Amino acid sequence: VTTLLDYYGLPTDFPGNSVRTGSSSLDKVRALEKALEAHLNAGSRFRAFFLLHEFEALLFADPAVLARTLNAPGRAGKVQEVRDQFPTVE
């Protein structure tokens, strides 16, 4: 079981959100993960994970892999065309 939460869209009352600490975005994400784990008090049964980058970044990081994953390897060029319409994968 897992969750997908939008790091940038977290509500203001989310555990640890008011005290995001660290110099980098990755440090801030790690602080939020620890705060959520502490809030849930689940011990080793739960490990929080926040995906720092947009989900789209995973999809379009390698268009050929996405096409194969969708069982459409012949469409890799089309996926690349979509990717090329934007300056970054995010």
Side-chain angles (χ1 to χ4, degrees), residues 7-76:
Y7 170 75
Y8 294 101
L10 290 175
T12 56
D13 62 346
F14 192 86
N17 202 25
S18 62
V19 291
R20 289 186 195 186
T21 59
S23 57
S24 71
S25 295
L26 183 56
D27 290 339
K28 292 174 185 178
V29 163
R30 287 183 176 147
L32 276 174
E33 289 169 347
K34 289 189 182 307
L36 179 57
E37 289 171 4
H39 176 77
L40 295 175
N41 195 25
S44 63
R45 295 179 297 151
F46 175 79
R47 289 290 177 243
F49 174 74
F50 285 89
L51 183 64
L52 178 59
H53 301 286
E54 298 293 330
F55 182 69
E56 295 85 353
L58 294 178
L59 296 177
F60 289 98
D62 190 332
V65 171
L66 177 59
R68 282 194 314 270
T69 301
L70 297 174
N71 293 320
R75 305 286 292 172

